[in-house]
Amino acid sequence: MPATDALRQPSRTLVITATAVPLALAVLADDVRVRRQLHAARRDPLSGLPGREALLAYGDRLLRTGRRDQVHLMLLDGNGFKAVNDTHGHAAGDAVIATTGRRLAAWTKRRQAVAARLGGDEFAVAAVLPARTALADITALREQLHQPLTHDGRTLHMTVSLGIARAADLPGEDTGRLLRAADAAMYRVKAGEAFPCLATYADAYADTVNGRRAGRTGAHLPAA
């Protein structure tokens, strides 16, 4: 290599690096802006989280980025929530929903992620998680949600069933399809399958009744 070319090479590397840093910062700033818009939009007053439409919009946005293969959709459903309501009253059930919302918000705040309340004691999370840490991150979230809480002098114990759909396992599918897959995986956990339960293509195309997975509570009800 001529001496002049050798001298130019380091400066070219510096230019590339200097260009990459602002680009990465711009992507991060854009994600923060979008999440602020979601939180400023209509939120569930009990959990403090946005709803299904916000989750789907944010998830589809993540799927259009260069980090698509790191996108995870998680669907979480409480275990024993009805028993809490029946035994301790609806105020206790509300406390469980509010605490779950705060814990999910705290977990997503430190990540490129958004959590939403889908209804009742059902929540979902769309997140970008590197493959090397994804399982540890999701396990940590599950453990946080399993921590007891205190309401009106009583200790309430709650656990969640959690299904996981990875975009890398479902190439070309949108957030709605990933959510359906995570829902089916979550119900396999409720039926006794061990955590972590990863969704498959069959889960993504599971039959639904009135927009619900066949067998899900309310699937037998007439469509509104």
Side-chain angles (χ1 to χ4, degrees):
M1 179 184 295
T4 53
D5 289 345
L7 289 173
R8 292 194 189 103
Q9 190 66 28
S11 62
R12 187 181 302 126
T13 303
L14 288 173
V15 169
I16 293 172
T17 303
T19 303
V21 171
L23 180 61
L25 292 175
V27 170
L28 178 60
D30 183 58
D31 185 71
V32 171
R33 176 184 59 79
V34 170
R35 289 199 289 174
R36 284 177 177 170
Q37 288 175 347
L38 290 176
H39 285 295
R42 187 174 63 180
R43 287 181 285 173
D44 170 53
L46 190 54
S47 67
L49 300 176
R52 180 186 299 268
E53 293 306 315
L55 177 88
L56 294 175
Y58 184 78
D60 283 342
R61 178 181 173 277
L62 292 181
L63 292 173
R64 292 193 296 268
T65 69
R67 304 182 71 185
R68 178 191 168 90
D69 284 351
Q70 297 180 3
V71 174
H72 292 65
L73 249 292
M74 291 162 276
L75 198 138
L76 310 92
D77 191 76
N79 301 320
F81 181 70
K82 184 177 184 300
V84 170
N85 272 331
D86 292 347
T87 303
H88 303 294
H90 289 288
D94 288 351
V96 169
I97 297 300
T99 299
T100 301
R102 287 194 297 270
R103 291 175 178 177
L104 285 169
W107 187 87
T108 58
K109 188 176 182 180
R110 299 188 296 272
R111 296 168 176 85
Q112 190 175 358
V114 158
R117 184 186 181 196
L118 304 184
D121 58 337
E122 187 175 79
F123 299 82
V125 180
V128 170
L129 300 172
R132 66 182 183 280
T133 62
L135 181 56
D137 286 342
I138 296 171
T139 300
L141 172 61
R142 180 171 173 267
E143 291 175 352
Q144 290 170 26
L145 296 175
H146 285 186
Q147 294 300 309
L149 62 134
T150 301
H151 171 72
D152 198 20
R154 299 185 181 93
T155 299
L156 305 178
H157 296 274
M158 281 289 296
T159 60
V160 297
S161 295
L162 190 156
I164 307 165
R166 302 184 300 190
D169 297 332
L170 300 166
E173 303 297 345
D174 63 11
T175 305
R177 192 64 70 178
L178 292 175
L179 193 60
R180 181 185 292 192
D183 177 74
M186 181 273 292
Y187 268 87
R188 294 210 308 274
V189 173
K190 279 192 177 294
E193 185 167 329
F195 172 86
C197 183
L198 302 179
T200 66
Y201 253 115
D203 293 325
Y205 286 87
D207 291 337
T208 61
V209 179
N210 296 335
R212 301 176 176 93
R213 185 193 62 82
R216 171 191 275 279
T217 302
H220 64 287
L221 300 175

